[in-house]
Amino acid sequence: MATLWSKISAVLPLSEEEFPLQFSDKVESSVVEMLRRSRQLLYRETAGTSRMLQAQIILDYSWEKLNTGTWRHVDKDWRRVYSYGCLFKVAALCHRDPSADDVLQAVRTCDMALLMGAAIMDNILQVIVQILQREVRKSTEEEDEAEHSEVKRVGVQPHGALEQQLIIALAASVTALSPRDELAVPRVKRPSLESFSTNYLLPHKPAILEGIIDHWPAFNQHPWSIEYLRSVAGCRTVPVEVGSRYTDEEWSQTLLTVNEFIDRYITRKGGAKAVGYLAQHQLFDQIPELKEDIRLPDYCCLGEGDEEDITVNAWFGPGGTVSPLHQDPQHNFLAQVVGSKYIRLYSPEDTDKLYPHQSQLLHNTSQVEVESPDLRRFPEFAEAPYLDCVLQPGDVLFIPVQHWHYVRSLELSFSVSFWWS
Amino acid sequence: MCFPLLGDSCVYVAGFGAVTESCGIVKESHGCKDVFVSESHLTLAFSDRLESWDLQKVEKTPTWSMELNKESSDSPLNLPLLPGGYIATKAPLYRSLSPHLKAKSVAVSAEHVMLLSATGAVYTWGLGSHGQLGHGVLTSEEKPRAVEALWGMPMVCVATGGWHSVCISGSSSTEETQEGDKHEEVFISIQAFPALLDVSPSCEIMAVSCGSRHTAAVTTTGDLYTCGWGDYGQLGHPTLKSTDEPQLVEFFKKQQMRVVDVVCGAWNTFVAVVEERVA
């Protein structure tokens, strides 16, 4: 029976000589020396404590570099150094009889590298985290069987007609408007590439595309549910937004494991009242297993960029998450997988009635609270025409570039967005 | 990372460095009167000129130099402040300063700069995302901007850390601090306005210095207080715990040493002491 360390060791270079440590001038020689010492410890047997300290020094030092200046300007080499630090820390945690807690810490460390670092050695940390996840699953299989069988199954069956009406009525009652046909986002069933391009893409008109993601494994072989997400990504660390909306002063971001996020903000075991949202996160790069459950919409081929340029984000949260009215610099296909969302769209032509923030940071966001607008401060808002809808599982909303959109989840929801040009 | 010591009119360096591997004399420094070190450069002040040497590469000439004429050599230097400007932590090394600021001293860090004027006013500029500029917002400033919250309270000393700033007020015996967030486990909140740092029992601070995520202050009674990130022992306490409340460093009291000055490196603290003889 191979130990955890031998499995990790097997994916590392065979010897110290084959282990690359190349950096630009930006990384001081003293730091490179620290990295060399850590590398040496990977291939030699020494006392345990110095491994951890060495790794931590590299992590703390590069962490300071990552936090200096704006993120855009952080030299990629410092993010690579940070990843190496994570690698050495994982080695320190796992190399001698790690406890279950050590393994979870190692998973978290890999995630920090994936979130904040830059890929090293053919993305070795992605390989290692999968080894670690298998280890975690093995040890929790026996434990959790009893606990999670009680959790209600949250499936992805499309809502029955009655439920659908109920949800639309809910949305209507909250917005104090009755949905009229001319205000609804048009729905089209599996349009041809040509008709989508002619009728919606080129004239920049929003539409809900039906029937185009029915083939996703997320609806078939691996129906997405809370249990499924726990099993595939439960111990993985993800960024979570806390607070009702990102324009609020109390809004903040934190890092939690998927299990913690579900416990705290979805099933609300602790009775937390705050809203937590796993929003705008490239979860599918971090967890390849989930990437297998989705597909790139064919219509993206109508765009100019490459497949690699398409940004895929996960949006997972309880009912009540709100994205304030804002616009994005690319086209968006918003695919709804679990649950439903109320969405309102305004044309960029009516920007003058939407009172965008003046500040540089928020100039793509409207100051108006869509579902309870202060018409004394923002009188023109009442005149701005809009389209709205309730997006259901299986729907894909096309949001043309720069089109203003407001989103509120009506229940537990998981959406996948594709930003393309 | 190397540490310069001025003695016999030349500079000794210790630590890891490309220039000298262990404690040795920097030969280019003979006859120099003052020295200032940043992560990348060693700045030397001679009677007739200033020079900045690259610490990473062995070069024959300084990265930057400036002649000192008679008028400027008369006024005392206070590195990194120098005639007409100051030495920054990265290129371009020399930055000019407007004379109307009446700069008395300057503290520089990777992200921001703090200036103390002869009138006791404090100016800050640079990146502000951690609240280190003390203007109440998290935006950056391109040019020196007076810290209005400290208006009317003349300051006598300024220091900057990686993401925070500290200054000591003149008239009162308390220390004013502009805090950024220091260490994610200790300080999750960001404080963009200057806040009083409580040292208890109440005493007069005569010197202060900042590391990347910690602060050290010396009182007129010879005590050393530290707070901030402690993971590498930089606080000088028996444990490696980080703290946001300034705490007395018991060691010097127990050893009957009177602390007279303090300088912080990024993750360490250097202290000058005088041994007290108990009569």
Side-chain angles (χ1 to χ4, degrees):
Chain A
M1 187 75 161
T3 62
L4 178 60
W5 178 242
S6 63
K7 289 180 199 159
I8 293 176
S9 213
V11 300
L12 291 174
L14 286 171
S15 66
E16 205 179 314
E17 288 74 39
E18 291 168 68
F19 191 108
L21 279 178
Q22 300 279 40
F23 303 95
S24 72
D25 277 0
K26 285 254 157 58
V27 179
E28 299 105 4
S29 45
S30 52
V31 177
V32 180
E33 177 58 30
M34 292 299 284
L35 288 159
R36 287 197 194 116
R37 289 186 196 175
S38 278
R39 171 179 64 182
Q40 202 179 62
L41 291 174
L42 277 183
Y43 297 93
R44 290 189 206 181
E45 275 311 308
T46 52
T49 43
S50 62
R51 271 198 177 87
M52 185 58 99
L53 182 61
Q54 286 278 127
Q56 198 58 47
I57 290 171
I58 294 167
L59 282 172
D60 285 331
Y61 193 77
S62 54
W63 180 253
E64 293 195 340
K65 297 292 182 186
L66 262 49
N67 279 277
T68 299
T70 52
W71 181 250
R72 267 203 310 277
H73 297 119
V74 171
D75 197 285
K76 190 169 175 201
D77 266 1
W78 283 116
R79 295 175 57 196
R80 291 178 59 237
V81 171
Y82 183 76
S83 291
Y84 275 106
C86 290
L87 176 62
F88 296 133
K89 181 165 176 172
V90 168
L93 286 164
C94 296
H95 99 285
R96 195 175 289 173
D97 210 18
S99 67
D101 214 61
D102 289 333
V103 178
L104 285 176
Q105 238 206 317
V107 172
R108 187 192 158 88
T109 306
C110 288
D111 278 328
M112 289 308 289
L114 294 171
L115 293 171
M116 311 290 293
I120 53 167
M121 298 163 66
D122 285 328
N123 212 5
I124 196 169
L125 284 151
Q126 182 65 263
V127 175
I128 292 178
V129 80
Q130 315 246 16
I131 295 173
L132 292 168
Q133 263 195 289
R134 283 197 280 274
E135 195 70 20
V136 171
R137 278 194 203 121
K138 259 193 340 202
S139 60
T140 57
E141 244 159 27
E142 311 90 55
E143 264 180 50
D144 282 356
E145 245 163 26
E147 203 184 307
H148 288 305
S149 57
E150 295 154 33
V151 174
K152 207 170 68 174
R153 208 156 224 281
V154 183
V156 297
Q157 265 66 45
H159 294 277
L162 185 61
E163 282 159 305
Q164 196 151 336
Q165 279 171 17
L166 197 63
I167 285 168
I168 293 174
L170 259 173
S173 65
V174 174
T175 61
L177 285 166
S178 51
R180 299 195 322 243
D181 283 335
E182 58 265 35
L183 289 184
V185 177
R187 286 176 169 271
V188 262
K189 196 146 186 117
R190 303 172 133 265
S192 66
L193 286 176
E194 208 180 318
S195 75
F196 172 73
S197 179
T198 310
N199 300 318
Y200 303 103
L201 178 57
L202 292 174
H204 286 198
K205 290 227 175 306
I208 294 177
L209 307 176
E210 295 174 333
I212 66 166
I213 56 172
D214 292 347
H215 59 289
W216 279 12
F219 292 108
N220 301 294
Q221 300 95 309
H222 300 139
W224 282 4
S225 66
I226 292 190
E227 294 90 65
Y228 176 70
L229 290 171
R230 280 194 197 271
S231 72
V232 153
C235 61
R236 304 297 302 273
T237 296
V238 290
V240 171
E241 300 184 354
V242 180
S244 37
R245 54 203 75 201
Y246 67 76
T247 42
D248 276 357
E249 256 190 36
E250 303 88 55
W251 182 89
S252 68
Q253 292 176 296
T254 187
L255 293 169
L256 297 174
T257 62
V258 170
N259 280 332
E260 285 168 340
F261 171 66
I262 292 172
D263 289 339
R264 213 178 288 188
Y265 296 105
I266 307 231
T267 53
R268 306 241 168 95
K269 283 187 183 165
K273 296 213 183 74
V275 172
Y277 196 9
L278 203 179
Q280 199 173 317
H281 177 52
Q282 293 179 49
L283 189 67
F284 307 99
D285 286 344
Q286 191 188 355
I287 303 175
E289 250 168 305
L290 284 174
K291 196 175 197 169
E292 313 262 288
D293 290 344
I294 63 175
R295 297 282 180 271
L296 210 61
D298 292 332
Y299 304 89
C300 290
C301 76
L302 295 167
E304 296 150 354
D306 285 327
E307 253 186 53
E308 294 104 51
D309 299 328
I310 300 176
T311 307
V312 186
N313 277 311
W315 306 79
F316 173 46
T321 61
V322 169
S323 294
L325 188 64
H326 70 285
Q327 53 181 184
D328 295 315
Q330 286 186 286
H331 291 308
N332 185 357
F333 280 130
L334 182 63
Q336 192 65 16
V337 184
V338 177
S340 55
K341 281 179 156 153
Y342 172 72
I343 302 181
R344 197 187 286 192
L345 301 168
Y346 290 85
S347 164
E349 294 170 356
D350 299 311
T351 300
D352 53 318
K353 301 190 180 70
L354 304 178
Y355 304 89
H357 283 269
Q358 304 284 39
S359 74
Q360 225 265 336
L361 199 63
L362 291 173
H363 73 277
N364 71 333
T365 305
S366 161
Q367 295 177 69
V368 187
E369 270 219 32
V370 168
E371 293 189 277
S372 52
D374 183 344
L375 294 172
R376 285 170 309 143
R377 288 176 68 200
F378 312 116
E380 299 277 290
F381 184 71
E383 313 304 312
Y386 64 85
L387 298 174
D388 68 4
C389 63
V390 173
L391 205 65
Q392 305 283 6
D395 289 342
V396 177
L397 173 65
F398 167 59
I399 305 176
V401 60
Q402 296 299 347
H403 239 78
W404 294 87
H405 48 289
Y406 165 88
V407 185
R408 178 167 56 87
S409 62
L410 299 172
E411 53 183 327
L412 169 73
S413 161
F414 201 136
S415 324
V416 181
S417 65
F418 299 87
W419 288 343
W420 58 290
S421 297
Chain B
M1 309 181 203
C2 77
F3 306 97
L5 298 161
L6 199 53
D8 309 331
S9 294
C10 62
V11 174
Y12 294 81
V13 288
F16 192 102
V19 178
T20 45
E21 284 293 336
S22 55
C23 194
I25 299 178
V26 176
K27 59 172 170 21
E28 296 86 353
S29 70
H30 280 285
C32 81
K33 299 205 139 77
D34 198 5
V35 65
F36 179 76
V37 73
S38 72
E39 249 186 64
S40 57
H41 284 79
L42 186 69
T43 301
L44 303 167
F46 299 89
S47 48
D48 61 339
R49 71 193 188 283
L50 292 156
E51 291 174 353
S52 278
W53 294 81
D54 192 320
L55 286 169
Q56 287 287 307
K57 306 172 201 162
V58 182
E59 307 265 3
K60 292 217 168 79
T61 53
T63 309
W64 171 86
S65 65
M66 178 172 121
E67 297 269 313
L68 285 176
N69 54 38
K70 185 118 197 348
E71 294 99 57
S72 49
S73 64
D74 279 345
S75 50
L77 273 182
N78 190 2
L79 293 178
L81 187 64
L82 37 86
Y86 66 99
I87 296 281
T89 51
K90 53 181 192 258
L93 285 180
Y94 177 74
R95 313 278 172 103
S96 64
L97 281 172
S98 163
H100 93 262
L101 290 168
K102 298 195 179 69
K104 194 169 139 198
S105 74
V106 155
V108 291
S109 285
E111 286 197 330
H112 69 297
V113 187
M114 200 174 199
L115 181 150
L116 176 67
S117 84
T119 62
V122 172
Y123 296 80
T124 55
W125 65 99
L127 290 180
S129 54
H130 290 79
Q132 61 266 62
L133 301 185
H135 299 303
V137 289
L138 302 181
T139 48
S140 313
E141 296 287 337
E142 268 182 33
K143 296 214 162 77
R145 180 177 161 185
V147 181
E148 284 162 23
L150 298 175
W151 209 252
M153 271 181 293
M155 297 291 140
V156 297
C157 179
V158 294
T160 53
W163 294 268
H164 66 299
S165 317
V166 180
C167 47
I168 305 180
S169 59
S171 46
S172 66
S173 60
T174 47
E175 183 181 322
E176 303 280 350
T177 310
Q178 305 171 42
E179 295 295 336
D181 73 357
K182 281 189 195 161
H183 181 236
E184 60 265 32
E185 263 112 80
V186 176
F187 267 92
I188 313 265
S189 63
I190 289 196
Q191 197 169 304
F193 272 119
L196 194 57
L197 202 56
D198 250 319
V199 180
S200 83
S202 174
C203 48
E204 220 169 297
I205 309 287
M206 63 171 207
V208 71
S209 180
C210 298
S212 88
R213 304 185 235 175
H214 72 290
T215 305
V218 182
T219 67
T220 48
T221 51
D223 287 325
L224 179 72
Y225 285 80
T226 57
C227 64
W229 190 38
D231 283 12
Y232 291 95
Q234 57 266 63
L235 299 184
H237 299 313
T239 67
L240 297 180
K241 238 178 61 164
S242 302
T243 91
D244 37 320
E245 302 280 330
Q247 274 181 12
L248 174 68
V249 180
E250 303 276 354
F251 175 83
F252 298 104
K253 241 188 164 59
K254 290 197 179 130
Q255 300 284 321
Q256 287 172 342
M257 290 179 187
R258 187 190 175 83
V259 180
V260 293
D261 201 2
V262 67
V263 167
C264 293
W267 293 0
N268 49 23
T269 307
F270 293 86
V271 152
V273 300
V274 166
E275 286 205 32
E276 303 232 86
R277 306 250 176 249
V278 180

